[in-house]
Structures are given as structure tokens and as C-alpha cells.
Amino acid sequence: MFGFLKKDNNNKAIELDMDKIPEHIAIIMDGNGRWAQGKKLPRSAGHKAGAENVREITKECSKLGVKYLTLYAFSTENWKRSNEEVNILMKLMVEFLNKEIDELHENQVVVRCLGDITKLPEECRKTLEEAYERTKDNTGINLNLAINYGGRDEILKAVRLIAKDVLESKSNIETLDIGDVEKYLYTAGMPDPDLIIRPSGEKRISNFLLWQCAYSEFWYSNINWPDFNRNNLQEAILDYQDRDRRFGGINK
Ligand code: FPP
């Protein structure tokens, strides 16, 4: 249906199994800087190209029937970068939403931010809030932009909220279970990522979806994010479809 990506031993084209599309794909959009360096361009050009790729990969995921796409755009540790780079990234996120929001909305995409938006520049925070307000009732793919997101920070915030609820007798420490904890995460109500993709050759989780990745399948690629295209995405999904997911159990 979407063209062959690989051939089997009999030289027959293998296609994606449309009944086994991951419900939730999460991507660490890495390698923008190296992409730019390779082209003797400033890092900002890599981030710009990376932002443009968000549109393509969102479209492809939506077309394939992925229900949740979570993109790691700015971590709680990325504030360590120069002010100039941080400002460029914040500006790019605002520009991306201003440019794309009409089409995203038309395509029924729900745009939300995962992360502590209170620390973001006013314009960025406002743009993200408006994007969510406008798209929250849409029925298509959920595009989660992880901005000022850190897995540890997310869990810490959940712990604080749970402790507060326990102190106010709204929650019982003895009966608290995994499902209760999940209600306090940014991803409350969403399925865990089935597939986490990290382009650029790095093999780290980098504080991304630490709670949610318990049984995620991983895919690494040497391609830098700005060059990571629909064929690379399909290749990752094809490999995912061949995995034996046991979630700690045993398949008979
Ligand atoms: C990691 O590559 C990338 C980031 C920290 C930023 C990701 C941001 C974007 C793709 C653009 C804006 C996002 C949206 C949602 C429009 P790196 O800079 O660490 O690359 P390097 O490791 O090669 O230096």
C-alpha cells in the first residue's frame, strides 16, 4: 500500500502491516547541529530544517493512522545552551505553530505541549496554549510537543501533587497504584509510546518519557533529524512490526 521498503528472502516486497501501526510514536529530534555542521551552516539552520521536518513527519504519521506523536523539542536540560540558541529554538516553535496551525486544525490534529510551560517565554507559552484551545476537540492525531520537558521533572511534579493530595486526605497512600500515578503525568490518559525513535546515531534516552518508556520498543538511526524522512519512518515501523512484545510475560 505504501510501497515496498525491504525485500524478503524470496525477493518479495515487504509492506507495512496497516493493522499493526504503533498507536504512539515518540521521537527524539536529534542531530540538527550536526546536520548544519555537515553543511557548514550555523546551528540555527539545522534547527530550522528540523522544525520543517516536523510538518512532514506529522503528516506521514497521521496518514499511517498513528494516534499519538510525541516530539522532544526542548528538554529541561536544554536551558544550558547559549541564550542565542535557546531564543532561536523558542522563536522557531512559535513560528512553526503560527505557520502550521490552520492546516493542522483542518487536518483534525490536536496540538498540545508536554512540559512545564510556565517557564517558557510569554509568546511561546501563549502560542502553545492557543494552539491547544483551538485544536483540543479535534479527532485526528495527537501531536505532543515536549517543550521544557524532562522525565525526572515530570515524575517529581507528580510526586509533589500526590503528596499534597495525601496530606489533604484526597488520596490514600496504601491504595495508590500505578494507574493513579499516571493521572499526574503530562501524558495522563494517553497510551505509553509503543515505539521511540532517535535519529543521529545517539543511543540514549536523555530524560525522555522515563516513566512511559517501560516497555517501549526502540529504533536508532544514523540519519540526522532534518533528513529523517517518511521512508526512514516506515523503515522504523516495519522493524517494530517484527518485534515480539512480551511486556515481561512469555508468549505461548
Ligand atoms: C537536538 O539536536 C535538537 C533540539 C535540542 C531541538 C529540537 C527542535 C527542533 C527540531 C525545532 C523546533 C521544534 C518544533 C516543534 C517546531 P541538537 O541541536 O542537539 O543536535 P546536535 O546533537 O547534532 O548538536
Side-chain angles (χ1 to χ4, degrees):
M1 178 179 186
F2 287 97
F4 78 85
L5 297 151
K6 267 188 192 169
K7 290 190 174 170
D8 66 12
N9 293 340
N10 301 319
N11 212 24
K12 192 171 166 288
I14 307 172
E15 291 194 357
L16 285 182
D17 178 347
M18 298 310 287
D19 293 328
K20 272 177 75 178
I21 295 294
E23 191 181 9
H24 186 169
I25 294 181
I27 306 180
I28 300 175
M29 302 189 288
D30 199 10
N32 295 345
R34 278 162 285 168
W35 180 91
Q37 199 180 20
K39 292 185 161 15
K40 304 213 174 346
L41 293 169
R43 289 180 63 79
S44 57
H47 292 315
K48 190 163 182 286
E52 278 156 20
N53 203 27
V54 169
R55 176 193 156 90
E56 298 314 312
I57 294 298
T58 305
K59 267 191 166 174
E60 185 63 13
C61 282
S62 174
K63 193 166 124 194
L64 291 172
V66 174
K67 285 302 295 172
Y68 294 85
L69 173 64
T70 301
L71 300 177
Y72 206 4
F74 193 89
S75 77
T76 44
E77 286 71 40
N78 284 153
W79 296 107
K80 292 177 195 161
R81 297 188 179 202
S82 68
N83 280 345
E84 190 196 353
E85 184 162 346
V86 169
N87 290 340
I88 283 167
L89 283 167
M90 296 297 157
K91 203 169 140 242
L92 275 173
M93 290 184 268
V94 171
E95 274 175 16
F96 167 81
L97 286 171
N98 286 341
K99 193 163 153 237
E100 303 294 334
I101 196 66
D102 287 345
E103 196 179 326
L104 289 165
H105 188 41
E106 245 167 63
N107 293 333
Q108 288 296 311
V109 181
V110 179
V111 182
R112 67 161 73 63
C113 175
L114 306 186
D116 184 355
I117 61 166
T118 63
K119 306 280 184 330
L120 298 179
E122 172 75 10
E123 192 189 20
C124 192
R125 188 181 55 71
K126 233 175 119 226
T127 310
L128 285 161
E129 281 172 350
E130 283 168 7
Y132 178 64
E133 255 329 289
R134 188 162 168 207
T135 62
K136 66 180 180 205
D137 296 323
N138 286 344
T139 54
I141 189 169
N142 288 270
L143 174 61
N144 297 328
L145 301 175
I147 302 174
N148 194 23
Y149 174 87
R152 288 181 169 179
D153 185 58
E154 178 182 37
I155 294 168
L156 174 65
K157 283 188 166 55
V159 170
R160 284 194 181 129
L161 290 169
I162 291 166
K164 189 168 173 282
D165 279 359
V166 170
L167 285 173
E168 292 170 1
S169 304
K170 290 183 195 154
S171 187
N172 182 340
I173 201 88
E174 303 300 331
T175 57
L176 191 79
D177 63 16
I178 286 171
D180 292 330
V181 176
E182 286 173 347
K183 287 182 203 142
Y184 292 89
L185 302 177
Y186 294 123
T187 50
M190 301 181 201
D192 287 341
D194 300 293
L195 175 62
I196 298 184
I197 297 173
R198 182 161 194 161
S200 89
E202 306 293 357
K203 299 184 178 72
R204 289 187 288 278
I205 193 70
S206 299
N207 205 9
F208 189 41
L209 301 174
L210 294 186
W211 175 282
Q212 298 87 341
C213 76
Y215 282 100
S216 302
E217 299 293 327
F218 283 84
W219 171 260
Y220 301 105
S221 160
N222 286 328
I223 297 160
N224 290 320
W225 168 248
D227 286 333
F228 190 87
N229 62 27
R230 59 194 286 273
N231 288 333
N232 305 124
L233 176 77
Q234 290 189 19
E235 196 186 344
I237 299 176
L238 198 63
D239 192 81
Y240 161 86
Q241 294 185 334
D242 214 23
R243 310 264 179 103
D244 180 19
R245 300 187 77 191
R246 295 187 296 281
F247 298 93
I250 298 165
N251 281 352
K252 287 172 202 130

